[in-house]
Amino acid sequence: MRRLFPVVTTTLALALALSACGSEEGTSGGGSVQGAASGENGRMDMQEAAERSDAMLDAVLGAIDPDVQWAHGPTTTRACGVTRRRAVMTVISAYRRQTFLDRAEAFWRKSDYRIKAVNKDDAFPAVYAVTKAGFGVSVSFRGKGQAFLEADSPCVKESKVAPPATEPNGPAHEGVYPLPRPAVRSDFWSGESGEGS
């Protein structure tokens, strides 16, 4: 009987370890943006990851008020992941950049994303977050004060990746790279006075 105890303990430990391998994040969240990975054996492929990334970018842009115009940036793939990009085509003044980042960060916190880093640089501020499923998302300001959003997938199964299905809410600039600088002016975002509300 003494020999049986170590065998049972080892078997139970192995069974528990194997049962944890079926999903990247368990079953919480269902079909939401942070839901469990789908596809064969519970692991999504690059196309599914790209669609999930698009949904995350749609959601954060939808949470920024007032609206900004945006266009798709290039999609890139790496050994086992995919990155989707959006470029903001609305002029965001230096006075409004922190407000823009604050609204994205507040949405991600509300969505239970973990904020990894906040760059408060005057010229190139940025916010970086990660979802429970391991997707990295960011909003950053780059040359000429243009805002860019990115969503990077965790490691997924290799597959073909289709272009994004979401239509931009302004000119698409298809086949144009690099994208033009922002030219759309907004009373709020292009404003030159403080943070505003």
Side-chain angles (χ1 to χ4, degrees):
M1 192 68 171
R2 273 185 263 176
R3 287 184 167 177
L4 184 59
F5 183 71
V7 172
V8 171
T9 304
T10 304
T11 304
L12 284 173
L14 182 60
L16 286 171
L18 290 174
S19 69
C21 295
S23 166
E24 292 178 330
E25 61 180 313
T27 57
S28 65
S32 71
V33 169
Q34 291 196 64
S38 58
E40 182 184 320
N41 296 327
R43 188 166 174 217
M44 72 177 70
D45 62 23
M46 286 181 170
Q47 178 60 38
E48 291 170 316
E51 291 168 4
R52 179 94 53 102
S53 296
D54 289 336
M56 287 187 278
L57 295 175
D58 289 343
V60 70
L61 282 164
I64 293 173
D65 182 43
D67 291 344
V68 293
Q69 279 195 13
W70 59 269
H72 288 290
T75 295
T76 54
T77 57
R78 52 196 186 280
C80 66
V82 61
T83 300
R84 291 287 213 203
R85 296 176 176 85
R86 307 265 175 102
V88 174
M89 307 310 288
T90 299
V91 174
I92 300 176
S93 72
Y95 295 100
R96 300 293 192 200
R97 289 177 195 157
Q98 192 57 54
T99 301
F100 189 88
L101 292 172
D102 289 346
R103 291 181 183 179
E105 182 180 347
F107 173 75
W108 287 335
R109 286 186 187 279
K110 182 178 157 189
S111 301
D112 206 23
Y113 293 15
R114 182 173 57 86
I115 303 302
K116 282 177 48 176
V118 176
N119 181 350
K120 297 276 190 179
D121 184 83
D122 288 339
F124 305 111
V127 177
Y128 304 90
V130 65
T131 72
K132 289 180 179 177
F135 284 77
V137 289
S138 66
V139 178
S140 59
F141 282 89
R142 300 185 199 153
K144 307 286 188 188
Q146 188 168 19
F148 292 88
L149 295 92
E150 292 187 3
D152 297 305
S153 79
C155 194
V156 293
K157 291 189 303 183
E158 187 175 358
S159 71
K160 290 186 184 281
V161 179
T166 307
E167 291 292 326
N169 64 350
H173 302 292
E174 284 185 46
V176 177
Y177 189 80
L179 290 170
R181 295 297 183 193
V184 179
R185 297 197 72 81
S186 149
D187 288 344
F188 181 83
W189 292 115
S190 307
E192 297 296 326
S193 59
E195 290 279 316
S197 58

